[in-house]
Amino acid sequence: MTDGSAPRRPLPTAGERPPTRAGRRRAPAVPRRWLAAGGLAALAAVVGVTLAVRGGAAPACAAPPPRALPAGVLAAPPLGGTVHTGKATYYDSKGAGGNCSRPVPPADRLYVALGPGEYASGASCGGHLDVTGPRGTARVVVMDQCPECEPGHLDLSAEAFARIADPVQGVVKVSYRAVVDPPLPGPLTFRMKEGASQWWFAVLVGDHGNPLRAVEVRQGGSWRATAREDYNYWLIPAGAGPGPYTIRVTDAYGHRATATGIRMLPGQVQRSTVRMYGAGTPTRSAKPSRSPSVRPSARPIASATPSFSISPGSPAVLDAAAGAPATAAPVPAACG
């Protein structure tokens, strides 16, 4: 038994609606008064529509609206290593990258969808959680939103759930905590959204380890703030010029890194040469170099107080400094 549903990726134009999690549909309940009246024809019609939806002949219906948060509960991502308790279910993203707009799921397929309170309009995207269940612990990346999940309900990937519990159980009690400064897979990556231009700036930042707090673009000697959308792109609706861009990224624990030479290449992932943090890495500014000589510490560093990967099969990755493709796989088409 699974809970939750597979995500849709955001559409590639300005002013679009955010992506939703379209997914498995339960058969609609049949009103008792129909049965009492012997409405067999109506019942047959309902069953027919249900089979058509399951078989893909009919268009998928809209995803359920997000559950309202309980009174007094604020939307905020898990931070700081505090241990939380709750429950876990599982689902399959079917190869999509989730509401956080990843091009593809992580290579190890260890990911999680959070309810609206902990997803916090995208503020959790890219962060990591250690989730412990009856069988053990799995480290997962926040990739998606589960609209129907209340605070404390984690919707794990099937692979992550199998690491912490027997999948036959379907629902299990868990404890979980945010991972502070997890080891980084590499330097920061940047992806300009399809439809972006000098008149509409939209960038997705990857491989940052901790949840992000701010993304800024340097213009005319000053830093211009971007606004995060709930599908995890950072926008300047009026645009930021033709580029190349200098982009400064700040995470929830105060780490800060600056990448230069990011170009307006919609739909392509550009890899900078600056890491978000790590042993010897400046936390205020770090100009990219062609060959970074310092690797991040293998042990998480929990020294800051919170203020509130590319794999085989990924889209083409460009070196922001050299401008040469690092891989040649095509960019997946955006889902509608």
Side-chain angles (χ1 to χ4, degrees):
M1 176 178 180
T2 63
D3 189 1
S5 50
R8 291 173 181 256
R9 293 178 55 202
L11 299 177
T13 58
E16 65 196 354
R17 59 177 176 81
T20 59
R21 286 164 53 90
R24 301 180 178 89
R25 309 296 175 195
R26 294 193 178 96
V30 180
R32 292 182 178 177
R33 56 186 172 85
W34 287 11
L35 300 180
L40 298 180
L43 176 58
V46 170
V47 173
V49 170
T50 300
L51 293 177
V53 171
R54 287 182 174 178
C61 55
R67 178 176 297 181
L69 297 178
V73 176
L74 299 177
L79 291 174
T82 301
V83 177
H84 306 266
T85 58
K87 65 179 180 181
T89 51
Y90 64 93
Y91 80 111
D92 185 356
S93 77
K94 300 185 183 299
N99 212 100
C100 291
S101 299
R102 287 180 61 107
V104 292
D108 59 13
R109 294 191 59 82
L110 300 180
Y111 54 84
V112 62
L114 300 180
E118 292 178 304
Y119 183 77
S121 298
S124 287
C125 287
H128 294 73
L129 302 178
D130 279 343
V131 183
T132 301
R135 179 177 283 179
T137 299
R139 178 164 294 183
V140 295
V141 63
V142 178
M143 186 187 86
D144 209 351
Q145 179 174 200
C146 173
E148 67 272 20
C149 293
E150 69 278 4
H153 180 175
L154 309 183
D155 207 11
L156 297 169
S157 65
E159 291 81 357
F161 191 94
R163 291 199 179 189
I164 68 161
D166 185 343
V168 173
Q169 293 181 267
V171 183
V172 295
K173 293 182 178 180
V174 296
S175 61
Y176 60 98
R177 66 175 183 86
V179 182
V180 181
D181 293 1
L184 297 172
L188 290 170
T189 65
F190 299 86
R191 183 182 190 273
M192 296 295 170
K193 198 177 193 316
E194 295 87 345
S197 69
Q198 63 177 314
W199 313 112
W200 187 72
F201 181 91
V203 67
L204 176 73
V205 184
D207 291 349
H208 45 80
N210 298 311
L212 294 183
R213 186 179 68 194
V215 174
E216 302 162 285
V217 180
R218 191 167 184 84
Q219 283 189 303
S222 61
W223 292 102
R224 185 173 180 183
T226 64
R228 174 169 43 204
E229 296 296 316
D230 67 355
Y231 52 92
N232 199 34
Y233 271 85
W234 298 80
L235 271 58
I236 300 177
Y245 307 100
T246 297
I247 301 177
R248 185 168 70 181
V249 180
T250 306
D251 71 16
Y253 301 100
H255 298 295
R256 177 175 288 174
T258 302
T260 61
I262 306 303
R263 294 177 289 161
M264 180 52 71
L265 297 172
Q268 298 188 59
V269 177
Q270 302 176 63
R271 192 196 321 273
S272 75
T273 51
V274 57
R275 294 173 183 264
M276 193 70 213
Y277 52 79
T281 301
T283 58
R284 286 300 158 196
S285 178
K287 184 177 180 180
S289 60
R290 191 173 295 273
S291 300
S293 59
V294 179
R295 295 187 176 273
S297 170
R299 173 177 293 178
I301 305 170
S303 60
T305 301
S307 55
F308 64 103
S309 61
I310 304 302
S311 61
S314 298
V317 181
L318 303 182
D319 185 293
T327 65
V331 178
C335 298

